[in-house]
Amino acid sequence: MPTIAIIGAGPGLGAATARRFAREGFAVALISRDQAKLDDLATTLQGDGVDARGYAADVLDPAALEDVLARAADDLGAITTLQYSPLPSRDYLHSVLDLTPALASEALRFSAIGLIHAARAVLPAMREAGEGSIILINGGTSVQARHGFAGTSVAFPAESAYGEMLHDALADEGIRVAQLVIPGAIPKLQLEHGIDSVADRIWQLHAQPGEFRTMLIPLEDGRE
C-alpha cells in the first residue's frame, strides 16, 4: 500500500487530504507536534475507513522528524507522497521592523530546513522506486513579500527555491515536486467545494506531471 506522510496534519486540510488519498488506496501518516491530537484525528479518520496513524514530531527537531518518517514507512509502507504543510507560528506574521535574526533563523528552520530534512528522509526510497511526489503547501508570501508577514516572507521563498530546484533535478526520475500556493485562510476564500476542492488539487499535483508552482486562486484574490 502506498503511503502519504502529511507534515502539519490537522483536522482541516490535513484530514481532507488524508481522505482524498485514502480513496486512491493510500495509507496515511499524520505528523505534527501533539500526539494526543494526532491520535484523536487518526481515530476519526479510521472511522471513515482511512488507514491512518499519528506520529508526533516538531519540524524544528530534525532528528525527531527523520525518525517518525522512518517509523511511518516501517509501519505503513514506503512513503510515496510527502506533503509539507506545517502551519507557521504567529510569531512569523509580525512586522519586518520587529524581525530579529533569531526569529528569522527559526522561520527558515521551520520552513526551508525542515523541508530539506524531510525530503532527504523520503527521497532515497522514491528514487529507488522511480516514482513519488513531494508537495509543498505555502501562503501568498512565498510569491510576494509583505512587510507585515516578515517571517514567512523570508522563509517561504527559501522553501520554494529548494522545492523548485528539486522539481528540476528530479523531473526525469518519475518524482514530481510541486507547490500549491494558498493566498489566505481556506474558509475565507469562498471555494465552491470548500476544503475538499483543495484536497482534490493536491491529489492532481501528485498524480499529474506539471509546472512546479500552482496558484489555488489568483494572488490578488487572496484573503491573508
Side-chain angles (χ1 to χ4, degrees), residues 10-25:
L13 182 58
T17 302
R19 293 186 179 96
R20 181 64 183 86
F21 275 72
R23 295 207 307 268
E24 307 292 340

Side-chain angles (χ1 to χ4, degrees), residues 88-133:
S89 166
R90 295 195 66 83
D91 290 340
Y92 306 158
L93 308 180
H94 292 166
S95 167
V96 67
L97 299 176
D98 298 321
L99 183 66
T100 64
L103 189 59
S105 176
E106 181 181 308
L108 284 164
R109 289 191 295 118
F110 184 90
S111 294
I113 306 303
L115 172 63
I116 293 171
H117 281 282
R120 288 178 62 84
V122 301
L123 273 174
M126 290 184 185
R127 296 184 74 188
E128 183 177 354
E131 63 179 355
S133 64

Side-chain angles (χ1 to χ4, degrees), residues 38-104:
L38 288 171
D39 290 343
D40 288 344
L41 179 58
T43 298
T44 298
L45 290 169
Q46 289 162 6
D48 296 332
V50 179
D51 183 5
R53 300 189 198 183
Y55 301 86
D58 189 330
V59 297
L60 293 173
D61 184 343
L65 183 60
E66 292 171 3
D67 177 67
V68 298
L69 287 167
R71 287 197 288 118
D74 287 341
D75 292 343
L76 299 172
I79 294 171
T80 50
T81 298
L82 173 72
Q83 176 176 306
Y84 194 81
S85 52
L87 187 65
S89 166
R90 295 195 66 83
D91 290 340
Y92 306 158
L93 308 180
H94 292 166
S95 167
V96 67
L97 299 176
D98 298 321
L99 183 66
T100 64
L103 189 59

